[in-house]
Structures are given as C-alpha cells and as structure tokens.
Amino acid sequence: MFLTEATVIDHLEIASGYYRMILETPKISCQAYPGQFIHTRISDQYDPLLRRPFSIHRIDRKRGRIEILYRVVGKGTHLLTKARPGYKLDVFGPLGNGFKVDRYLKTAIIIAGGIGVAPLLTLGEELVKRGVSTRVFIGAKTRGLILCENEFKELGCEVRVSTEDGSSGYFGTVTDMFRDFLLSNEDISGSSPSLFACGPYSMFREVALLTRRFNIYCQVSLEERMACGVGVCLGCAVRVKGGVYKRVCKDGPVFSAEEVAWNDNSQAYC
Amino acid sequence: MITPKLTVNISGIKMRNPVMVASGTFGYGEGYENLVPLDKLGAIVTKGITMDERSGNPSPRICETPSGMLNAIGLQNVGLKNFINERLPYLRQFDVPVIVNICGESVDEYVELSKRLSEVSGIAGLEVNISCPNVQRGGMIFGKDPDLTYEVVSKVRKSTHLPLIVKLTPNVGDITCIANSARLAGCDAISLINTLTAMAIDIHTRKPKLATITGGLSGPAIKPVAIRMVWEVAKAINLPIIGQGGIMDAQDALEFIIVGASAVSVGTGNFVNPMATLEIIDGIRRYMIEHRIDEIDQLIGSVKV
C-alpha cells in the first residue's frame, strides 16, 4: 500500500451523476489487481472529514494510471466532481483483497447492478487476457445509466443489459435477467464457471441464492461506510456465517457469497 | 540551534516523544506498519481488551458528521487470551511502550484483566477504559459515577504494579470530580477525552444513521470540548494527563500540551492522515526550535490565563 499523490488526468461525467476519473499514480497501478480499492481524501479541509473508498475501475500499468468510476451520492462525491485535470489527490492504496481468479478457470459470469460495475471492468479485462470466456450481465434503472456496455463488448465479452423501466434490453432487474438465463441454460454449472458480482444489497442476496441453487462459485464485492481502510477501526463490519463480523476493507471487499450471512446484515448498508 | 528534548515520562512510562495513538484507532499495532514505524511513536494504546472475545455491534457502525464521525463499534476485540498469545508477541518486537486498554463488564473483570496482563512481559501500562459509550454493560457506566470510578480504580490498583491510566468520558457534568475519584483511588495518570455520546438521522428513511441509534462523536468537532476538559482537570489535580479529542496536526497537539497535557493521543486523525502522528512529532519539534524551548516540560500547562 502507498500513501501518495495522484494527478487527475481526466475527469468526465459519463452519465447523469456518474463520473469517471483517470489518475496518474504509477506505484498504485503497478501493485493493484481487480477488486481492490483506493481510499481518497477529498480535500485538505475537515469537512468532509473521512476518506472515501473507490473501487479501482481500470488499471493501466504501462502508463501508470488507474481509473475510478463513481456515482455522486453525498457531500464527498459531490465535492470530488470539482477536481480538474492537474489536481493532486491524496490517495491511499491499493487496499483490500480483490477477486480471486482460479488459474484453470475457463468460463466466467459478471453481474453488475448500477454503479456496481465499477470494480468489474478491470476484472473483465483480466479475465479476457487470461482467455476466460466471459458473459456479462449489466443492470440499470434506465437506458441512460447503463455503464460500460461498449467497453465489455470491445473486450469480446457477450453482454446482456437490463433496465428496470424497460427502456433498453431486458425489462426488469439484472437478477431477473440472470435467473431467466439460468433457467434456459441449466447445464451452465457443467463448465464450472465462476461468478463475480457487485451491486446493491438486494441483488447480492438474490444472486447468492441463485448461485447456490445452480452450484456456481460466486464472489461479491461489498461496500460499507469506512473510516481507516486498513482494518484497524472495525467500522466497516459485515456479518458472516458463524455469527462474527469481518472487515470489508481488510478481509474484503471481495467475499465468497457463501461466507456472508445475508439475512443478518442491515439492508441499509448500501 | 537547539535540539529540543521531546521525551516524557508518564508515571514510569518512558516515551521518546509525547505523541501516542488512541485506543481503537490503531488496532493491535499492525494496520499502518508500512507507513508508521511503531518505534517512532511515544506509545501505542491497543484496542480495548475484554475478558472474552467480542464480536461487536451490528452495521452500520460509523457515520460521518460535520468535521467528525460517530462510531459504535461495540468493543469488538480478540479477548484477553488471544491478545496475550497472538497479538502481544507482535507488539513486543518494537521498541515502543505498549499500553493496553482494558474494559470489563464488572469490577471483577477489570481486576482479572489487570492481574493477567501484569503477569506477562512487554506491557508498559494499563489504560482503564471506564468511558466506552457503546456497550450495554460496563464502560461508561463506571466513568459517569465518582463512587463507581473509585471502586473500580482502587481495586485495579491493588491488582497491578503497572502504571495505571484511567480514561475518562466527557459525558459528565463535572469532569474534575471523576478525575479526582480516580486520583484518590490511586491511578497514575488521566487520559481524556473519550467520545461524546451523539446521534445522527437519515431524513429520507427517518432512521438513525447507526444501527445502535447512538454512538460516540470524535474528530475535530470535539477538540474544543477536550481542550476545555484537559484544562479543567489540569487545574484541579496534580497528575499527568494524556490529552486527546480531534487532534489532527501539531497545532492541535500543542494546544493540549499548553493547557496541561503531558502527552497526546491521535485517534480519528490516523484515519484521515495515516502519517498524522509522525507529522505531529515533527511539528512539535519545529515549534520548540522556533520558540527556543529546550524541554517539552516547559510547555506543559504553560497556558496564560
């Protein structure tokens, strides 16, 4: 992990309320792998006080860059939208345990709900690089908020999109779309796929149930309010089976879906 | 140019400088190991240790507030046995005083904790936590009542030879009254302040932002309260004080020292700037050079009122 200054190279609103920021930070880009995050100070003032965690969206080791993709949800992210190219951001990372990709993996499924696509694009790039056949399911509220469809297509992934208002692709949630897919491809577990998901809590719960039923190994990237980012403050607790808590920042943010006690966690957490 | 002397001695705990890390903000010394060499710090205070392992409170456990944060971790910790067997060996490797924060649900538990920790090597002192606002039994219940404070501190005193620090809660009417009880009971130093009991609401759901409804406020927002309390206690009793509450930089630390703190602890500041402690040590040194102060003792309690 490094505590370093990253230079904003580019910062663009790619959909209403959704921003992509390219950061130059050679040390972090060199060490990072899919599923990890950076912990960023928004300003040198004390309000907002705490750092904000952002999934690493893309890693460009050659140019020493990383990208983050974020949705404006509050004071911190709102302030961050003002950062112009050239601005130096105080960044701490890469942090956390990311996705585990088995070296013999042949097929993968990616499920992204809303801004949950953030950590999954760099994972998709990694999977394709390793020759893993990757299917991608992207869900959003409406057509204009479908993120990264083209990026995944350019990688050569098979991409399906859903919208909750039916304005594009499948009419329904991404889990509805995925369930339909599974029901018409019941032999899917024969290829021993791995599934990687990130999205809202309700999506995680559904995906966890479906993957158990269809015997698919599933990893989820969780989100929690965080303070330290390194496992010392115990603020970002998630309840796992056995009645204990794990730290999203240090033990995760990626967990096996089997490990998480889905019924015991507050719906409010994301 | 003078070389200022930053060493302090808190009732037998010899520190190379007055900058410590506060309980619950540095784990068991392992989180920031790549950034903060532990042997550069004045002392480390561990996460609060209880007899049995505790899993802590439900989520959400934290939320941000203007220039502060609320927490309700609920003393999640590995428990006494695991601490001694698995965490203390790591801490022993470093040349830094280790102060163990202890919290019991009853007086007997505080006594048992202090006895057991006095039998092992590598511990420089104990910090008796009678101020945690986020547990249902023990913690702040003791620290809000001068008689209970006296009872727990005097019994712990009899059970250990280690330097005894008592950590006080600001959630009281008269902090000097509690501090005096702790002094009469035989403690060696006072640590203050713990967090202020506080609450925040999400207006869209109309629900509290913490699962436990209330939590403890920390960060720059509470610094003026902490400064006032350190000043009051420093005037009232003659014991070393470890000041804490919203310290982010050297100016903050110096304020505490000037009103009477012999040492300071950085807590929430570590989360915002992991290098805060090292920058504060450096900043205090520069201040002393600039103001031609040879020894930190000359600054402690030097407030002009």
Side-chain angles (χ1 to χ4, degrees), chain A residues 25-37:
Chain A
T25 172
K27 284 182 186 167
I28 293 179
S29 78
C30 221
Q31 210 179 64
Y33 68 94
Q36 290 189 297
F37 68 96

Side-chain angles (χ1 to χ4, degrees), chain B residues 6-28:
Chain B
L6 268 76
T7 53
V8 289
N9 185 329
I10 304 277
S11 313
I13 305 172
K14 288 177 191 150
M15 306 199 275
R16 58 173 60 79
N17 62 62
V19 181
M20 312 164 49
V21 288
S23 181
T25 65
F26 224 74
Y28 310 100

Side-chain angles (χ1 to χ4, degrees), chain A residues 50-52 225 234 237, chain B residues 55 59 61-62 64 209 272:
Chain A
L50 298 174
R51 288 173 179 271
R52 298 293 192 268
R225 291 184 203 149
L234 310 173
Chain B
S55 57
S59 280
R61 291 177 172 183
I62 58 169
E64 190 179 67
K209 288 187 177 175
V272 179

Side-chain angles (χ1 to χ4, degrees), chain A residues 1-3 39 41 46-52 75 90 92 224-228 230-239 243-245 247 250 266 268-269, chain B residues 24-27 31-32 34-35 47 55-69 73 76 209-210 219-220 248-249 268 271-275:
Chain A
M1 69 170 97
F2 303 100
L3 184 62
H39 211 25
R41 218 171 146 184
Y46 295 144
D47 189 18
L49 179 68
L50 298 174
R51 288 173 179 271
R52 298 293 192 268
K75 203 189 279 178
D90 175 341
F92 189 21
E224 239 314 342
R225 291 184 203 149
M226 264 176 212
C228 72
V230 292
V232 297
C233 78
L234 310 173
C236 59
V238 59
R239 201 159 174 96
V244 295
Y245 290 97
R247 302 161 296 183
K250 183 80 176 180
S266 133
Y269 93 87
Chain B
T25 65
F26 224 74
Y32 294 106
N34 295 336
L35 296 174
K47 175 73 184 168
S55 57
N57 288 332
S59 280
R61 291 177 172 183
I62 58 169
C63 81
E64 190 179 67
T65 56
S67 300
M69 66 176 280
I73 308 302
Q76 178 178 343
K209 288 187 177 175
L210 296 179
M248 305 298 287
D249 56 27
T268 302
F271 308 154
V272 179
N273 175 13
M275 305 295 278

Side-chain angles (χ1 to χ4, degrees), chain A residues 14-115:
Chain A
I14 57 161
S16 176
Y18 291 77
Y19 288 75
R20 185 176 57 212
M21 184 186 263
I22 302 176
L23 291 165
E24 191 164 83
T25 172
K27 284 182 186 167
I28 293 179
S29 78
C30 221
Q31 210 179 64
Y33 68 94
Q36 290 189 297
F37 68 96
I38 55 168
H39 211 25
T40 306
R41 218 171 146 184
I42 303 292
S43 80
D44 55 3
Q45 305 294 303
Y46 295 144
D47 189 18
L49 179 68
L50 298 174
R51 288 173 179 271
R52 298 293 192 268
F54 295 102
S55 293
I56 296 173
H57 180 55
R58 253 183 173 162
I59 303 165
D60 180 351
R61 292 199 182 92
K62 266 191 205 141
R63 290 199 282 180
R65 293 172 177 183
I66 58 167
E67 287 179 26
I68 59 171
L69 179 70
Y70 66 94
R71 179 164 66 106
V72 177
V73 288
K75 203 189 279 178
T77 41
H78 183 74
L79 203 58
L80 188 62
T81 64
K82 312 265 191 268
R84 297 275 166 264
Y87 183 78
K88 307 259 192 223
L89 213 55
D90 175 341
V91 171
F92 189 21
L95 299 173
N97 288 303
F99 295 106
K100 291 171 194 72
V101 181
D102 188 286
R103 65 199 298 208
Y104 301 111
L105 187 69
K106 290 276 177 284
T107 56
I109 299 165
I110 284 176
I111 300 188
I115 190 61

Side-chain angles (χ1 to χ4, degrees), chain B residues 4-305:
Chain B
K5 191 167 158 258
L6 268 76
T7 53
V8 289
N9 185 329
I10 304 277
S11 313
I13 305 172
K14 288 177 191 150
M15 306 199 275
R16 58 173 60 79
N17 62 62
V19 181
M20 312 164 49
V21 288
S23 181
T25 65
F26 224 74
Y28 310 100
E30 75 292 9
Y32 294 106
E33 69 273 21
N34 295 336
L35 296 174
V36 183
L38 300 187
D39 51 17
K40 296 266 191 248
L41 299 173
I44 288 177
V45 187
T46 68
K47 175 73 184 168
I49 304 295
T50 52
M51 280 305 291
D52 299 318
E53 189 173 344
R54 282 178 64 99
S55 57
N57 288 332
S59 280
R61 291 177 172 183
I62 58 169
C63 81
E64 190 179 67
T65 56
S67 300
M69 66 176 280
L70 303 187
N71 89 78
I73 308 302
L75 275 176
Q76 178 178 343
N77 78 99
V78 297
L80 178 67
K81 209 172 122 197
N82 290 332
F83 172 73
I84 292 173
N85 295 334
E86 290 162 22
R87 306 299 172 134
L88 194 55
Y90 174 78
L91 284 166
R92 278 197 199 107
Q93 302 173 75
F94 301 95
D95 178 23
V96 64
V98 174
I99 295 167
V100 182
N101 182 289
I102 56 170
C103 193
E105 291 189 2
S106 63
V107 174
D108 288 346
E109 276 195 17
Y110 281 101
V111 170
E112 184 65 20
L113 283 160
S114 70
K115 259 190 198 159
R116 298 269 296 274
L117 288 164
S118 307
E119 290 162 0
V120 296
S121 68
I123 298 175
L126 299 178
E127 182 176 73
V128 185
N129 178 351
I130 51 168
S131 46
C132 177
N134 299 320
V135 288
Q136 299 200 330
R137 288 184 295 276
M140 191 170 73
I141 292 163
F142 290 98
K144 284 177 100 164
D145 181 313
D147 296 333
L148 288 176
T149 297
Y150 183 85
E151 188 189 348
V152 65
V153 177
S154 59
K155 288 196 172 146
V156 170
R157 172 74 289 169
K158 289 191 188 92
S159 66
T160 182
H161 59 278
L162 289 170
L164 207 59
I165 303 159
V166 176
K167 185 164 182 179
L168 302 185
T169 171
N171 301 300
V172 294
D174 182 357
I175 189 86
T176 63
C177 170
I178 307 287
N180 201 39
S181 281
R183 180 187 68 87
L184 291 171
C187 79
D188 299 301
I190 299 284
S191 163
L192 77 160
I193 61 176
N194 204 317
T195 55
L196 285 145
T197 310
M199 186 168 169
I201 301 295
D202 179 331
I203 59 162
H204 302 294
T205 60
R206 299 192 207 175
K207 285 182 177 172
K209 288 187 177 175
L210 296 179
T212 49
I213 303 175
T214 63
L217 176 63
S218 65
I222 71 167
K223 192 189 76 177
V225 178
I227 295 283
R228 185 263 296 175
M229 288 191 157
V230 168
W231 176 66
E232 284 179 346
V233 172
K235 274 193 305 174
I237 66 167
N238 187 22
L239 276 183
I241 295 169
I242 299 161
Q244 58 211 283
I247 297 178
M248 305 298 287
D249 56 27
Q251 283 89 347
D252 295 335
L254 285 161
E255 264 193 76
F256 276 90
I257 292 168
I258 290 167
V259 293
S262 299
V264 293
S265 284
V266 180
T268 302
N270 293 311
F271 308 154
V272 179
N273 175 13
M275 305 295 278
T277 44
L278 302 183
E279 290 172 13
I280 290 168
I281 295 163
D282 198 42
I284 293 174
R285 186 179 289 119
R286 277 188 281 118
Y287 175 90
M288 289 171 70
I289 293 170
E290 199 179 311
H291 292 80
R292 301 180 177 281
I293 295 161
D294 307 321
E295 296 190 8
I296 195 102
D297 286 352
Q298 295 165 245
L299 258 185
I300 298 168
S302 61
V303 64
K304 297 171 181 169
V305 285

